[in-house]
């Protein structure tokens, strides 16, 4: 008797045998048996067909020129499909294809297109040698001394709007690889870090790849400005928890646009070579023509007329008769006032994606070089764009306001996934970097390693007394720190005399970006013998909703204005050397609770509740270094600076205030457990209400409604305009103390307040404070070099010009105006303002202010 064998319906042979046995056993069911066999045959053929179709093979090889130079980032396309790839930095490519016969197109800017017919039935190797284009010049006819390139560019400019509007919507897939290298660094840094150096050769452990990442995404676009990118895979060398910041939207430069914005490198846009007014900015030279697929291609050199204009250098290829862009090989230099890098190279390859009528970018490469303070390096971002779908139908409300979504599992893809799906093979340098950093990451990720590093870092040193002490537990994501003597904020004012403070901070982070922060301060005034301090707890409870809860308590001296318009450091210098004590203080002891949360996209809520005791303090220190006998210190009463007798009496206040920030159609990124708001084309609107409640022993009793509107507007080559409009009305001012008034951020020193767009330059600090109503206007226009760039010699300095206007009206002053003219970017960080003011006593005032450059 044969051994017993258990039947399994999951075993295909058992299942087939079982069904056949049943059919044979039951008489009269021959028809059923016939039908069943036909069904099995169909299923079998279908499965075989599916398996054959899903099987793919790899076509790979190396691309070089006729001089055996490798061709990095060449474009490889499968004719008649949306499939393609690029070669890597060493010229190697890899392309996965199902069995079949294909025409493979190899393209590189400035070289003849190569087309190979291949039959794929197994893995195959195909090396390509590309020939440099032999551009014909013999048929070029110069008319009236004008280069023939100008006629081609005129035609391209005429067709610019047509091609810009040709595609109303599309989707595509994008694979992006980014790499950055450090090639050299200052020897002084090496010594500081205890890195050995041998002559001019620096320690290689500091050099090489410092960032390597890959990403895959699906990009969706619809006119006029709807876009959404979904990143479904991401890999960062050495950090399996990080997400790549590669985005197709950041590389999607469209030369059919008049202006090309590169926000990461410049605060002004760059002029397209086929801008409608391009002849004002560019010179052109026809280098020659070639024929590709029976169509003539014009190779045109592009040169800026002025060295410092925001213009590209390089070559643009324009197809004759259609006047479309075939490809572009451009670069920007420091002369064009780009930041962070010395040179940026941009290479674009266009190809037909729908017949021959619609061409789209299929390959893009950015290469860059940087040199800063002795650091030197380079890098690139290489993008393969494929699977275009032109004018798709999107679901209703598909776009909304989310412009980037990183999927939860994007960084969870393993090595096998990337090996199967990566369209560009890794170079040996990239393979080595992944292997090295992933190995280091695995070691450094262990608790034992982190604890050993922390143990060394947490040792107390004598220098910690000067600079502060920091303790960390990396494994548990805990950090604790204190300030030292040098950063204790030693200052001087006439109320406290010499004063200083110590800061303490505790931080606990979580994997989902929740975070606890506990901060504390201890403060002491040597002249009034007054100790003070504060304690605050912040809990970021839901990062994707910006929900933060805070509780705090304090007993400190602080400025009457909650905006703290007087810098304690500047006041120290003015008090000791110029006999001018602008800082006016009172003591505040309070407890407060606050919450912030984004209720829906674009609507942020801020709520605060505070109970405070406010006490007056007097001048106690007359000390100064330079004594101007014509000047006397003023009292600590900002309302009556020549007598201390008028100081307010101690009082309590119970204050509740709520504010809503409204940002219509706010754009944002969504990452796992996080949300990043990126702004809106509409202004920000703030609406608030503040109420002092006379309860629980508090005497303050007032109500005030507030509103403000602000926006930053890009005006292309003309720069950036920004404004802030503010106003408020006190509905009730039954009982108010001076610290409850609305104070304005003024200035009475030569040092500018760094918040240029919310401050006045010459307005006294407290003279025009109000408890009735007010209106404020602040506006500045940053020309970003639009004027200076046209003035010889000055344009080489890379200085930038600013003009501003500020106005105030309330019950204390009917009209006050300021106009300021500024030069910024002095030594990269400095700014100088010349200001004219009118309205105080009906007179014109003026002044020069020194400050630091700020960006909006």
């Amino acid at each position: 008797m044969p051994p017993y064998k258990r039947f399994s319906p999951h075993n295909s042979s058992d299942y087939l045998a079982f069904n056949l046995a049943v059919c044979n056993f039951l008489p009269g069911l021959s028809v059923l048996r016939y039908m069943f066999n036909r069904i099995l045959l169909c299923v079998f053929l279908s499965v075989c067909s599916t398996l054959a179709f899903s099987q793919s093979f790899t076509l790979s090889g190396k691309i070089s020129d006729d001089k055996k130079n490798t061709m990095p980032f060449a474009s490889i396309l499968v004719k008649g499909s949306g499939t393609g790839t690029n070669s890597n930095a060493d010229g190697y490519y890899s392309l996965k294809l199902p069995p079949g016969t294909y025409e493979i197109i190899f393209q590189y800017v400035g070289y003849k297109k190569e087309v190979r017919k291949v039959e794929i039935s197994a893995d195959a190797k195909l090396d390509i040698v590309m020939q440099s284009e032999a551009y014909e010049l013999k048929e070029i006819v110069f008319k009236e001394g004008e280069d023939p390139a100008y006629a081609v560019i005129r035609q391209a400019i005429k067709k610019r709007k047509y091609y810009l509007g040709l595609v109303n919507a599309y989707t595509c897939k994008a694979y992006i690889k980014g790499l950055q290298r450090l090639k050299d660094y200052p020897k002084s840094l090496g010594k500081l870090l205890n890195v050995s150096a041998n002559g001019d050769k620096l320690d290689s452990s500091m050099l090489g790849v410092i960032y390597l990442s890959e990403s895959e995404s699906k990009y969706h676009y619809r006119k006029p400005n709807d876009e959404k990118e979904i990143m479904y895979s991401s890999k960062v060398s050495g950090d399996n928890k990080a997400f790549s910041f590669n985005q197709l939207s950041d590389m999607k430069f469209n030369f059919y646009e008049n202006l090309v914005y590169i926000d990461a490198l410049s605060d002004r846009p760059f002029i397209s070579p086929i801008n409608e007014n391009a002849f004002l900015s560019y010179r052109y030279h026809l280098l020659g023509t070639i024929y590709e697929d029976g169509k003539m291609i014009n190779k045109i050199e592009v040169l800026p007329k002025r060295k410092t204009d925001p213009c590209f250098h390089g070559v643009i290829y324009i197809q004759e008769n259609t006047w479309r862009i075939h490809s572009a090989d451009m670069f920007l230099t420091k002369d064009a006032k780009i930041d962070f890098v010395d040179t940026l190279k941009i290479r674009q390859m266009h190809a037909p994606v729908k017949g021959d009528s619609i061409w789209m970018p299929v390959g893009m490469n950015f290469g860059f070089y940087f040199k800063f303070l002795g650091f030197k390096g380079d890098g690139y971002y290489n993008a393969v764009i494929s699977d275009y779908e032109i004018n798709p139908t999107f679901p209703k409300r598909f776009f909304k306001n989310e412009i980037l979504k990183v999927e939860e599992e994007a960084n969870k893809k393993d090595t096998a996934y990337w090996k199967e799906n990566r369209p560009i093979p890794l170079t040996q340098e990239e393979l080595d970097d992944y292997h090295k950093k992933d190995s280091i990451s695995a070691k450094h990720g262990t608790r034992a390693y982190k604890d050993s590093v922390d143990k060394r870092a947490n040792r107390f040193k004598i220098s910690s007394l000067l600079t502060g002490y920091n303790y960390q537990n990396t494994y548990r994501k805990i950090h604790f720190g204190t300030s030292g003597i040098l950063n204790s904020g030693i200052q001087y004012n006439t109320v406290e005399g010499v004063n200083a403070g110590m800061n303490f901070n505790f931080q606990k982070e979580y994997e989902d970006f929740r975070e606890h922060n506990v901060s504390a301060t201890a403060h002491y005034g040597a002249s009034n013998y007054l100790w003070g301090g504060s304690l605050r707890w912040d809990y970021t409870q839901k990062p994707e909703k910006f929900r933060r809860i805070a509780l705090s308590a304090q007993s400190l001296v602080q400025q009457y204005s909650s905006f703290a318009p007087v810098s304690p450091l500047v006041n120290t210098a003015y008090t000791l050397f110029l006999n001018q004590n602008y800082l006016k203080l009172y003591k505040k002891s309070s407890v407060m609770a606050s919450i912030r949360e984004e209720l829906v996209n674009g609507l942020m809520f801020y709520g605060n509740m505070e109970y405070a005791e406010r006490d007056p303090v007097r001048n106690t220190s007359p000390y100064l270094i330079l004594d101007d006998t014509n000047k006397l210190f003023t009292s600590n009463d900002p309302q009556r600076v020549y007598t201390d007798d008028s100081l307010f009496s101690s009082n309590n206040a119970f204050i509740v205030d709520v504010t809503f920030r409204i940002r219509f159609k706010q754009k944002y990124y969504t990452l796992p457990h996080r949300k990043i708001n990126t702004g809106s084309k509409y202004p920000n609107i703030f609406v608030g209400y503040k109420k002092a409640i006379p309860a629980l022993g508090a005497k303050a009793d007032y109500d005030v409604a507030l509103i403000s509107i602000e926006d930053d507007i890009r005006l292309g080559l003309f720069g950036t305009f920004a404004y802030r409009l503010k106003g408020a009305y006190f509905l009730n001012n039954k009982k108010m103390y001076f610290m409850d008034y609305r104070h304005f951020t003024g200035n009475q020193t030569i040092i500018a307040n760094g918040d240029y767009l919310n401050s006045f330059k010459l307005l006294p600090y407290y003279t025009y404070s109000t408890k009735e109503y007010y209106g404020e206007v602040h506006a500045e226009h940053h020309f970003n070099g639009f004027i200076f760039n046209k003035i010889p010699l000055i344009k080489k300095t890379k200085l930038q010009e600013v003009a501003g206007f500020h106005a105030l009206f309330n019950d204390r002053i009917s009209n006050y105006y300021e106009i300021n003219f500024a030069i910024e970017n002095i030594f990269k960080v400095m700014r100088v303002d010349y200001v004219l003011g009118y309205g105080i006593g009906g007179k014109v005032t003026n002044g020069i202010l020194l400050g630091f450059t700020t960006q909006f």
Side-chain angles (χ1 to χ4, degrees), residues 228-241:
K228 184 173 183 177
E229 188 168 358
I230 301 174
M231 185 182 296
Y232 54 88
S233 58
S234 170
K235 183 176 177 65
V236 178
S237 180
D239 192 345
N240 60 8
K241 295 182 181 179

Side-chain angles (χ1 to χ4, degrees), residues 135-136 139-141 143 148-156 159 163 256 286-300 316-327 356 359:
Y135 288 90
E136 297 289 340
E139 297 180 3
I140 298 175
V141 179
K143 294 182 180 180
Y150 286 83
V152 176
I153 294 296
R154 284 192 190 95
Q155 295 296 334
K159 295 285 284 187
Y163 288 118
Y256 290 118
L286 182 62
L287 298 176
T289 61
I290 59 166
Y291 281 87
E292 184 178 281
D293 297 331
K295 299 180 179 67
M296 190 168 79
I297 310 296
N298 298 281
K299 180 181 181 181
I300 298 174
I316 189 168
Y317 297 80
I318 304 292
Q319 193 179 76
E320 189 80 5
N321 297 323
T322 63
W323 313 115
R324 64 163 56 97
I325 296 174
H326 172 276
S327 53
D356 192 53
W359 288 45

Side-chain angles (χ1 to χ4, degrees), residues 258-536:
N258 275 321
L259 300 173
V260 177
Y261 286 89
I262 312 178
D263 293 332
L265 297 183
S266 178
D267 50 11
R268 65 176 182 172
F270 298 91
I271 302 170
S272 167
I274 57 171
N275 179 290
E276 60 187 357
N277 296 308
F279 293 119
L280 297 176
S281 303
Y282 286 104
R283 292 183 289 111
Y284 302 93
H285 175 57
L286 182 62
L287 298 176
T289 61
I290 59 166
Y291 281 87
E292 184 178 281
D293 297 331
K295 299 180 179 67
M296 190 168 79
I297 310 296
N298 298 281
K299 180 181 181 181
I300 298 174
E301 184 180 20
V302 176
L303 298 167
K305 282 188 173 181
R306 289 165 294 276
K307 197 175 181 181
T308 55
D309 275 0
C311 294
F312 296 93
H313 298 248
V315 177
I316 189 168
Y317 297 80
I318 304 292
Q319 193 179 76
E320 189 80 5
N321 297 323
T322 63
W323 313 115
R324 64 163 56 97
I325 296 174
H326 172 276
S327 53
D329 193 356
M330 300 288 180
F331 67 93
L332 295 166
T333 67
K334 276 289 187 183
D335 291 329
K337 298 183 180 178
I338 56 177
D339 298 322
F340 308 117
V341 300
D342 288 329
T343 305
L344 174 68
K345 293 186 175 181
I346 302 170
R347 183 181 292 130
Q348 267 192 5
M349 179 65 70
H350 294 226
V353 296
K354 188 175 183 180
D356 192 53
S357 60
I358 296 177
W359 288 45
M360 299 290 285
V362 294
M364 287 190 284
N365 177 262
F366 294 173
F368 55 88
Y369 306 89
F370 63 87
K371 182 170 61 176
F372 180 72
L373 297 177
F375 292 91
K376 297 178 183 178
D378 63 9
Y380 65 81
Y381 282 85
N382 191 13
V384 178
I385 309 171
S386 61
D387 296 346
Y388 276 99
E389 183 181 356
I390 304 300
N391 295 326
T393 300
F394 295 106
K396 189 176 181 181
R397 297 181 60 80
F398 172 78
F399 286 99
K400 294 186 179 179
N401 295 300
E402 183 184 49
I403 57 177
L404 173 67
K405 180 179 181 180
V406 179
E407 293 186 343
E408 185 82 29
E409 301 299 314
N411 61 353
K412 304 295 191 297
K413 308 296 175 64
D414 59 15
T415 302
Y417 172 88
W418 283 103
K419 186 175 181 179
E420 178 68 22
N421 291 277
R422 177 185 291 121
I424 303 176
L426 296 174
T427 64
Q428 191 60 49
E429 178 186 41
E430 293 160 355
L431 283 167
D432 292 344
D433 188 71
Y434 272 134
H435 178 73
K436 173 185 173 182
K437 289 181 180 172
D438 288 349
S439 299
I440 292 174
S441 177
K443 175 185 175 183
H444 290 187
T446 63
R447 181 169 187 172
Y449 180 84
K450 289 180 178 181
D451 288 347
S452 67
V453 172
D454 289 342
K455 185 177 181 180
R456 291 193 299 270
N458 293 338
R459 290 172 183 166
F460 184 83
K461 307 176 185 66
I462 297 299
S463 60
S464 299
L465 295 172
L466 298 175
T467 60
Y469 173 72
N470 288 284
Y471 169 87
Q472 61 186 22
N473 186 319
T474 309
Y475 183 79
R476 298 179 62 189
K477 296 183 178 294
I478 290 174
H479 175 267
F480 171 76
T482 68
S483 59
I485 295 174
L486 294 180
N487 54 3
S488 63
I490 299 176
Q491 298 155 359
Y492 177 81
N493 61 64
T494 54
V495 172
E496 300 175 291
V498 176
N499 62 91
M502 287 286 290
N503 299 316
F504 308 88
N505 179 265
F506 171 84
Q507 182 181 53
K508 165 65 178 176
E509 298 176 336
Y510 298 89
E511 292 289 345
D512 58 1
F513 297 96
R514 289 181 300 116
E515 184 178 292
H516 288 279
N517 270 288
V518 179
S519 58
T521 62
H523 186 85
Y524 181 71
S527 178
N528 64 353
Y529 309 106
L530 183 65
W531 280 97
S534 68
L535 179 65
R536 181 182 175 93

Side-chain angles (χ1 to χ4, degrees), residues 53-70:
F53 183 77
S54 63
Q55 186 178 17
S56 63
F57 299 103
T58 301
L59 176 67
S60 61
K62 184 177 182 179
I63 304 175
S64 57
D65 65 10
D66 50 7
K67 296 179 181 178
K68 298 184 179 181
N69 297 315
T70 59

